Amino acid sequence: NAGVTQTPKFRILKIGQSMTLQCTQDMNHNYMYWYRQDPGMGLKLIYYSVGAGITDKGEVPNGYNVSRSTTEDFPLRLELAAPSQTSVYFCASSYLGGQGNQPQHFGDGTRLSIL
Amino acid sequence: GENVEQHPSTLSVQEGDSAVIKCTYSDSASNYFPWYKQELGKGPQLIIDIRSNVGEKKDQRIAVTLNKTAKHFSLHITETQPEDSAVYFCAASKFGTGNQFYFGTGTSLTVIP
């Protein structure tokens, strides 16, 4: 029972490099999310998706891109890495339930440093 | 958008004592309030949640209360144990917004044996 799986767990990038953070879930959830977590700042939503082919900006989308070609996968792309993007990135998923909003299930994060 | 404030940012209690963490929210349309526990190096894990049609919910040593009029909700942990030491986050959400959550800034709880 894997849940939400994120790869890689750690990465160091140089300024200006690009990379893709991978996220996959095996719970058949419609909704998926990307957050960044900075010390003392809680979790800030970068992008989210309500289903395959549909993505929307969250609170802090600048410098990132996403795609959702399948229900299971929701990769996050950094095109030109900047020091301000040093953070811990979390992917989450949830389903659409009859009672209203539902819990989000989180992966264990990708720790990204940009030097 | 929604603004969630969480207090205190750090909390130390003796083992066996109770711990209370408080959150306020700004959007009166918010109707779902989950609490997450995050251990070092891990992702947040849901520990309890409450919907706006309920004033209190309990699960063993953990309880959450909601005051819709005052727009605040609280997490209560009784008989604390060292394994309760972690960072706790509250969040608020409303239906029809892609299930977006707005998180508080977290409370680092330390239970002293």
Side-chain angles (χ1 to χ4, degrees):
Chain A
N1 197 8
V4 179
T5 302
Q6 292 184 239
T7 56
K9 294 191 186 302
F10 305 93
R11 184 74 185 268
I12 298 174
L13 279 183
K14 293 183 179 177
I15 295 171
Q17 286 186 321
S18 61
M19 79 162 292
T20 300
L21 283 66
Q22 302 291 346
C23 176
T24 188
Q25 53 94 6
D26 62 359
M27 297 173 283
N28 201 32
H29 285 170
N30 316 74
Y31 295 171
M32 295 187 75
Y33 311 83
W34 275 107
Y35 293 90
R36 59 177 289 170
Q37 184 177 40
D38 300 306
M41 298 296 289
L43 293 125
K44 298 291 185 184
L45 183 65
I46 304 171
Y47 270 95
Y48 68 100
S49 169
V50 300
I54 306 169
T55 62
D56 262 306
K57 294 178 181 179
E59 209 176 341
V60 291
N62 291 345
Y64 307 95
N65 278 301
V66 293
S67 59
R68 183 99 181 268
S69 55
T70 66
T71 299
E72 294 79 19
D73 301 306
F74 191 40
L76 178 72
R77 178 93 178 151
L78 282 73
E79 290 294 349
L80 287 170
S84 60
Q85 293 177 307
T86 293
S87 189
V88 182
Y89 292 85
F90 287 99
C91 180
S93 71
S94 72
Y95 69 95
L96 178 63
Q99 278 194 74
N101 285 7
Q102 301 296 328
Q104 293 182 12
H105 302 263
F106 285 80
D108 282 337
T110 293
R111 284 145 188 83
L112 180 63
S113 294
I114 298 163
L115 307 173
Chain B
E2 173 69 280
N3 181 44
V4 177
E5 295 190 358
Q6 183 172 346
H7 299 280
S9 56
T10 60
L11 179 60
S12 291
V13 299
Q14 292 289 334
E15 182 177 357
D17 287 350
S18 295
V20 180
I21 302 170
K22 299 181 179 182
C23 288
T24 62
Y25 61 98
S26 61
D27 189 345
S28 56
S30 289
N31 58 3
Y32 177 65
F33 307 93
W35 283 90
Y36 284 84
K37 176 183 181 181
Q38 186 178 25
E39 295 175 337
L40 201 61
K42 296 289 187 181
Q45 297 289 316
L46 179 78
I47 55 171
I48 196 166
D49 57 8
I50 191 166
R51 299 187 188 277
S52 59
N53 59 349
V54 175
E56 183 175 0
K57 185 176 179 180
K58 213 173 176 182
D59 182 3
Q60 299 183 351
R61 295 186 298 108
I62 293 172
V64 57
T65 58
L66 172 65
N67 183 326
K68 285 188 295 183
T69 304
K71 288 189 282 190
H72 69 68
F73 55 113
S74 300
L75 177 71
H76 305 254
I77 306 173
T78 59
E79 300 171 18
T80 54
Q81 301 167 3
E83 51 265 38
D84 294 329
S85 296
V87 179
Y88 291 81
F89 291 96
C90 63
S93 179
K94 62 184 178 184
F95 192 62
T97 58
N99 201 33
Q100 287 186 62
F101 285 8
Y102 296 88
F103 284 88
T105 50
T107 296
S108 178
L109 173 64
T110 302
V111 179
I112 304 163

